Amino acid sequence: MVCVGNAFDVTTPQDLDERFRAAVGALTPGTAGLPEGMTSELARAVFDAQLTSRHLDLAARWLRSFGEGFYTIGSSGHESNAVVAAALRHTDPAFLHYRSGAFYAARVGQAGLADPVAETARDVLRGVVASTSEPIAGGRHKVFGNAAHHVVPTTSTIASHLPRAVGAAFAIERLRKVNGNGGGSEAPWPADAVVVCSFGDASVNHATATAALNTAGWIDHTGMRLPLLLVCEDNGIGISVKSPAGWVASTLRARPGLRYFAAEGDDPAAAYATAASAVEHVRRSRKPAVLHLSTVRFMGHAGADAEVAYRPAADLERDLTRDPVVATARLLVSCGLATPEELLARYDEVGWQVRKVAEEVLGEPKLTTPAEVVATLAPRRPVRVARTVADLSVSSLTEREAAFGGRLPEDAGPFTLAQTINAALADGLLANPKMAVFGEDVALKGGVYGVTKGLRERFGATRVFDTLLDETSILGLGLGSGLAGMLPVPEIQYLAYLHNAEDQLRGEAATMQFFSGGAYRNPMVVRVAGLAYQEGFGGHFHNDNSVAVLRDIPGLVVAVPARADDAAPLLRTCLASAAVDGSVCVFLEPIALYHTRDLYEEGDNEWLAPYLGPASWSEAHVPIGRARVYNVGSAEDLTIITFGNGVRMSLRVAARLVEEGIGARVVDLRWLAPLPVADVIRESSATGRVLVVDETRRSGGVGEGVLAALVDAGYVGSVSRIASVDSFVPLGPAAREVLVAEDAITQGARALLAR
């Protein structure tokens, strides 16, 4: 029952239990047949999944009542999503909303296990109590996920998993062209799989959801295939804010390229028929669709949510009449498949099973050390990465000559930074048929700066292609295609354009292995053109010097090649690390150095370098987190620690200091995450005087990390820092007023030496 007119205007676990018993007990047996397409076995399986989900919510509240449960966002009222699972195959990858508990229970039931109720309960409740035995996140978060059931874990961030789902569906079709309709032995899902992704009604308003829906329609509009079923579980309210009547339906119907289906959650037979039609449409046509599933929400948003503050009792009463579990019970009773007494007995039996499991998982171990917590974050196997790079050196000479049009890059140079990256990408595409390069303007145009020029002509439009202009969707395509078995290399055209899509790296990419125990990976190398010092072009939006947002992401690898002879080894390491360890790497390319040729004086060509052939790749390999040191003069007086544009400026300054009898060693960090701390400490201790040259901003810049590393290591020498001003980069000559300059480096070095 629902108490009206006082502070208890809320659907409590006891209310829900009593209401269910009363409603089912009042059902009248009948002899009507099941609707066409629904079998008695399917109807019973759906009911069992719904009961399991309902009792899991009750168990989570019970565990929370004495401090042993840590997650109470439930699925009560959403149990109609079980019919969606029933319409799909067990091997269809699923990205689930946090209220899709009955879907998960139904998916476990499709696996043919002896006791699906207990298996589901054990999976979910281990997550609720943060047990290390939980099958996907291992106590790091409560998620719906299990690789054995093809359920990919998703975070709680609103709609953030939708771009990834689009990417996974996109990749399934791309891989069909590589592996054939059989799917290939390395593909995680069948070639005819349908990707399903569920989300809430309030999520349709989120920019990330808008990006995903738009991209799905865009892909379909361009004639490409996208086997994606989006399921909007619409309970009419986002935490406490109502969705305006008709808004969700109007929004979803208006999306071009998406076939719209709608179903009422309190009519299980019709909902199943609609879901089956939607799935059949997507599987047959390989075109995207959205299923708008009308649901209700019981027991508030989560355990601490007092609905009385924003929901009138009449709303709660109305929703209780639409209980999807009662609706399925009504179907079973009206069709003569069970009596009310039998269903209540089954309700109690499932409840007893779930409570028994809840009591069993209470004593299971929790994560107790930092090492345990981060074990799955970003595994590193440097020996295997090095071996992978070495294995690439046996590339067929005939294939390389064909790919490079008969003129191998090692026979052409010396190359600029941009030319070297181009050649290294070509070698990567040649060595790994699952690798794909994509982004804005990368294919036909060859990139704004010509870095990807000619790659589309050499490797085809399925390997090198242009995307729509949306960074969230570009990264989402990379995340999903990495899950599906590809090695994506997306490009973000400018660093300043990354920030609006950064959560796809922070909340999605970097967390995948962390929250799946390594069962799922999204290997990816994101190429980003960035940093400042472009003369006569762009201002801040094309000269962004902020990388703090990247260095703050746990497990992310950030590489910055300053010159041509480092670019190819660093890129090969990133590609190998992505393939071997599932690493998410950002390859930050200094725009101002793309076409730089000279170092000390015009025409010296000392910033160019030959491209090394495969025979030299192993010897030139650069492990993640290893710096490069340039000894200038005696190299005994001063250590300059820098990266990117700072390397060239610092080398020029060091050459001038030699004329004053000062010997310096210039340390190119090369890796901004993880920082090469051991190299920094060693080279700093060698001279006892450290000048940090940081082209990023003084606040939140890379230099702060270097200084912190020195302090943590107990460094006792002298140290000073030259950094850019805390400002956006302005247009034209004014940029020189806020960016690090050679004169400032020279003055900083002299001041440090004078101490």
Side-chain angles (χ1 to χ4, degrees):
M1 61 183 240
V2 177
C3 300
V4 179
N6 57 47
F8 297 99
D9 290 347
V10 60
T11 313
T12 67
Q14 182 179 352
D15 294 332
L16 204 55
D17 177 77
E18 292 177 355
R19 181 69 176 243
F20 178 84
R21 293 179 184 279
V24 173
L27 293 174
T28 302
T31 58
L34 281 170
E36 184 178 353
M38 177 173 274
T39 65
S40 58
E41 292 78 10
L42 186 147
R44 290 191 177 95
V46 166
F47 186 63
D48 259 17
Q50 293 178 326
L51 292 182
T52 303
S53 181
R54 178 64 58 87
H55 280 295
L56 284 172
D57 286 355
L58 300 180
R61 302 293 177 114
W62 174 70
L63 289 164
R64 181 69 184 89
S65 69
F66 53 92
E68 290 293 342
F70 307 103
Y71 193 93
T72 55
I73 295 180
S75 302
S76 293
H78 280 238
E79 291 93 349
S80 49
N81 54 44
V83 303
V84 181
L88 291 154
R89 298 174 185 168
H90 182 259
T91 53
D92 289 327
F95 300 78
L96 297 183
H97 180 44
Y98 50 58
R99 298 197 193 280
S100 296
F103 183 111
Y104 184 78
R107 174 59 65 90
V108 174
Q110 291 174 322
L113 301 173
D115 191 351
V117 171
E119 290 294 330
T120 302
R122 197 166 287 110
D123 284 359
V124 174
L125 292 176
R126 279 174 167 165
V128 169
V129 302
S131 164
T132 58
S133 298
E134 193 270 340
I136 195 74
R140 293 169 182 85
H141 194 36
K142 188 274 177 188
V143 295
F144 292 122
N146 193 317
H149 302 308
H150 304 280
V151 178
V152 181
T154 60
T155 64
S156 295
T157 308
I158 297 301
S160 64
H161 58 302
L162 270 68
R164 183 198 296 276
V166 174
F170 178 84
I172 286 174
E173 287 303 304
R174 288 276 158 160
L175 288 172
R176 280 163 68 111
K177 297 182 179 181
V178 176
N179 298 324
N181 288 332
S185 59
E186 297 181 4
W189 304 303
D192 66 343
V194 167
V195 175
V196 62
C197 177
S198 57
F199 58 99
D201 54 289
S203 296
V204 302
N205 305 303
H206 198 281
T208 309
T210 299
L213 294 168
N214 181 71
T215 300
W218 185 90
I219 290 173
D220 177 75
H221 184 77
T222 59
M224 292 182 284
R225 295 180 173 182
L226 192 74
L228 174 68
L229 177 62
L230 297 165
V231 180
C232 180
E233 299 183 15
D234 182 1
N235 61 33
I237 191 167
I239 303 183
S240 67
V241 180
K242 284 187 176 182
S243 293
W247 170 248
V248 175
S250 297
T251 299
L252 296 177
R253 284 181 184 274
R255 290 291 173 185
L258 295 179
R259 175 84 174 270
Y260 177 82
F261 295 84
E264 295 293 330
D266 58 350
D267 187 345
Y272 172 74
T274 300
S277 295
V279 170
E280 194 276 334
H281 165 76
V282 175
R283 199 180 306 278
R284 173 181 49 79
S285 69
R286 319 304 288 170
K287 289 177 173 289
V290 59
L291 171 60
H292 184 192
L293 181 64
S294 178
T295 67
V296 291
R297 190 189 77 185
F298 299 144
M299 297 193 293
H301 174 70
D305 180 28
E307 288 183 293
V308 65
Y310 57 87
R311 295 194 76 188
D315 284 1
L316 301 174
E317 181 67 29
R318 183 191 64 247
D319 282 357
L320 283 165
T321 65
R322 300 176 58 211
D323 188 335
V325 191
V326 172
T328 304
R330 184 180 300 111
L331 174 69
L332 292 170
V333 171
S334 67
C335 293
L337 297 178
T339 65
E341 293 75 20
E342 289 171 335
L343 296 185
L344 288 173
R346 182 58 180 162
Y347 175 78
D348 287 334
E349 181 182 6
V350 170
W352 177 83
Q353 284 183 278
V354 171
R355 178 62 69 91
K356 181 174 181 291
V357 170
E359 293 170 352
E360 290 172 354
V361 302
L362 272 174
E364 292 188 346
K366 310 290 193 296
L367 297 166
T368 57
T369 68
E372 284 183 304
V373 173
V374 302
T376 63
L377 177 62
R380 299 271 188 265
R381 290 173 287 185
V383 175
R384 287 190 60 182
V385 170
R387 188 180 305 125
T388 298
V389 172
D391 291 343
L392 294 176
S393 66
V394 299
S395 300
S396 165
L397 177 60
T398 302
E399 290 181 348
R400 288 192 76 236
E401 286 182 337
F404 287 103
R407 191 183 186 203
L408 295 175
E410 55 265 36
D411 298 329
F415 282 173
T416 62
L417 176 67
Q419 291 170 322
T420 301
I421 294 172
N422 179 280
L425 287 171
D427 268 321
L429 286 162
L430 183 63
N432 192 332
K434 302 294 179 64
M435 177 175 157
V437 175
F438 54 89
E440 301 169 12
D441 302 306
V442 303
L444 291 174
K445 183 178 176 65
V448 173
Y449 297 93
V451 180
T452 56
K453 185 177 181 180
L455 296 181
R456 181 181 184 274
E457 288 73 15
R458 297 181 201 171
F459 297 97
T462 61
R463 308 277 314 278
V464 181
F465 55 91
D466 291 322
T467 65
L468 75 177
L469 274 65
D470 176 59
E471 286 72 27
T472 294
S473 296
I474 292 170
L475 293 177
L477 289 174
L479 293 173
S481 58
L483 277 179
M486 294 176 65
L487 179 56
V489 184
E491 179 188 289
I492 301 299
Q493 197 166 90
Y494 288 101
L495 179 59
Y497 299 173
L498 173 67
H499 302 306
N500 65 69
E502 181 265 341
D503 182 60
Q504 289 296 298
L505 290 179
R506 177 188 300 276
E508 293 295 310
T511 62
M512 179 50 72
Q513 294 200 84
F514 185 69
F515 287 139
S516 74
Y520 288 106
R521 320 182 318 164
N522 34 223
M524 186 164 65
V525 179
V526 185
R527 293 182 46 252
V528 184
L531 303 178
Y533 298 97
Q534 286 193 90
E535 294 188 4
F537 186 73
H540 161 70
F541 297 102
H542 303 91
N543 286 276
D544 188 4
N545 64 341
S546 174
V547 299
V549 73
L550 296 173
R551 294 191 61 250
D552 183 54
I553 300 176
L556 192 73
V557 174
V558 182
V560 181
R563 59 191 307 171
D565 52 357
D566 276 334
L570 264 63
L571 182 55
R572 276 192 287 271
T573 297
C574 287
L575 292 171
S577 182
V580 170
D581 294 326
S583 301
V584 181
C585 304
V586 172
F587 198 71
L588 183 58
E589 302 164 6
I591 299 172
L593 298 176
Y594 267 149
H595 305 300
T596 298
R597 305 178 66 87
D598 307 321
L599 175 54
Y600 299 114
E601 57 187 31
E602 186 175 351
D604 66 17
N605 286 336
E606 292 199 28
W607 205 249
L608 303 177
Y611 185 84
L612 298 180
S616 301
W617 290 355
S618 182
E619 182 181 353
H621 173 62
V622 179
I624 291 174
R626 289 305 306 272
R628 178 175 181 174
V629 182
Y630 299 85
N631 290 325
V632 184
S634 67
E636 296 178 351
D637 302 307
L638 174 67
T639 299
I640 302 176
I641 300 175
T642 188
F643 65 96
N645 294 285
V647 177
R648 183 171 180 272
M649 290 188 291
S650 296
L651 287 172
R652 290 164 60 88
V653 169
R656 290 195 288 270
L657 291 175
V658 168
E659 298 174 1
E660 302 175 20
I662 300 169
R665 54 188 66 197
V666 176
V667 180
D668 178 2
L669 294 170
R670 298 194 292 196
W671 306 93
L672 303 188
L675 281 172
V677 174
D679 294 335
V680 166
I681 302 305
R682 183 187 65 250
E683 299 303 322
S684 298
S685 300
T687 65
R689 297 185 184 91
V690 176
L691 179 66
V692 180
V693 177
D694 180 8
E695 66 176 284
T696 60
R697 302 168 193 167
R698 180 165 292 274
S699 299
V702 175
E704 289 184 345
V706 175
L707 295 177
L710 291 171
V711 171
D712 290 345
Y715 173 76
V716 294
S718 300
V719 62
S720 183
R721 176 169 57 132
I722 304 295
S724 294
V725 174
D726 287 345
S727 169
F728 298 109
V729 180
L731 189 65
R736 300 172 193 148
E737 303 302 319
V738 298
L739 295 173
V740 169
E742 290 181 24
D743 286 347
I745 299 172
T746 303
Q747 293 170 16
R750 289 172 178 159
L752 184 62
L753 289 164
R755 290 184 183 179

